[in-house]
Amino acid sequence: MAPPPSAQPAKITGMDNLRDPRLAKGMATTIEERQLLGIHGLLPARVKSQAEQISHCMRNIRRLSDPLDKYIYMMDLLERNERLFYKLLSENTEELMPVVYTPTVGEACQKYGYIYRKPQGLFITIKDKGHVIDVLRNWPRNDVKAICVTDGERILGLGDLGAQGMGIPVGKLALYTALADIPPYQ
């Protein structure tokens, strides 16, 4: 039987749910959700609650001794599963704030070029003079609630880090999101 003419294919696929950190639930995706999304079998069969995933993440973080390794772990988690990252950060703020912000973010900024994974933030340079509004329009969302701006100078007393200073606004906005309940996409 053919679908009705008004039926439209879904714009978001099951694979999108696996790959998009804003949609991903990781192993918290229920068996029913996996079947509906067509991703059954693409995740381990075990379903883990978000609390179980948080416990697992904290064990992984605590086994790392280098704060920069902890920072990299957290940024990798942010790029895989946004809701788990923010839940983890909001429930373990005292332990994780020094990892995603000062003092660790200073070293992360100094080594940004070495640990860079995926673009975060919006970079505007002096070469954009006269068309900054065009650059701002490239941001993928219109419903922005909070921004954090830096010129990259004198980051944490480290000097002019330029684009490598992006870790500062990313870290600040992560805390704003986790603690002020601002949706990450805003």
Side-chain angles (χ1 to χ4, degrees):
M1 180 173 172
S6 62
Q8 301 255 338
K11 291 184 181 186
I12 297 175
T13 68
M15 289 306 293
D16 292 332
N17 274 273
L18 287 178
R19 292 184 180 137
D20 186 336
R22 292 184 176 139
L23 302 174
K25 291 172 64 177
M27 291 183 64
T29 308
T30 67
I31 298 298
E32 295 79 19
E33 289 170 324
R34 295 172 191 201
Q35 290 169 341
L36 285 170
L37 294 168
I39 59 171
H40 187 79
L42 300 180
L43 291 168
R46 167 85 155 77
V47 175
K48 288 188 175 185
S49 69
Q50 193 173 55
E52 288 175 296
Q53 290 183 82
I54 287 170
S55 175
H56 178 82
C57 288
M58 288 307 296
R59 276 194 311 275
N60 282 335
I61 290 167
R62 288 176 180 144
R63 73 179 172 79
L64 299 170
S65 57
D66 181 16
L68 185 60
D69 289 336
K70 293 179 182 188
Y71 175 88
I72 292 168
Y73 179 92
M74 289 295 291
M75 293 303 107
D76 284 344
L77 179 60
L78 176 60
E79 292 176 8
R80 284 191 324 271
N81 188 332
E82 213 173 71
R83 64 181 93 187
L84 181 58
F85 171 87
Y86 287 112
K87 187 72 169 170
L88 180 70
L89 184 56
S90 68
E91 289 185 2
N92 298 278
T93 306
E94 190 172 335
E95 185 172 348
L96 296 177
M97 185 165 61
V99 172
V100 299
Y101 198 55
T102 59
T104 308
V105 76
E107 183 181 4
C109 287
Q110 288 176 312
K111 296 178 178 174
Y112 187 76
Y114 299 110
I115 62 173
Y116 177 83
R117 300 278 196 286
K118 184 176 165 186
Q120 293 179 311
L122 187 66
F123 298 88
I124 301 172
T125 71
I126 192 68
K127 293 177 183 175
D128 298 316
K129 186 178 179 181
H131 64 275
V132 170
I133 195 70
D134 297 323
V135 176
L136 291 171
R137 284 188 184 120
N138 289 333
W139 190 250
R141 303 293 300 218
N142 292 324
D143 54 345
V144 176
K145 300 263 190 224
I147 65 169
C148 183
V149 178
T150 181
D151 61 4
E153 280 188 37
R154 300 176 43 102
I155 299 281
L156 302 174
L158 300 172
D160 186 350
L161 296 178
Q164 292 191 167
M166 184 56 83
I168 298 294
V170 168
K172 280 185 181 183
L173 288 171
L175 291 173
Y176 296 165
T177 297
L179 303 177
D181 203 25
I182 298 171
Y185 54 86
Q186 293 184 320

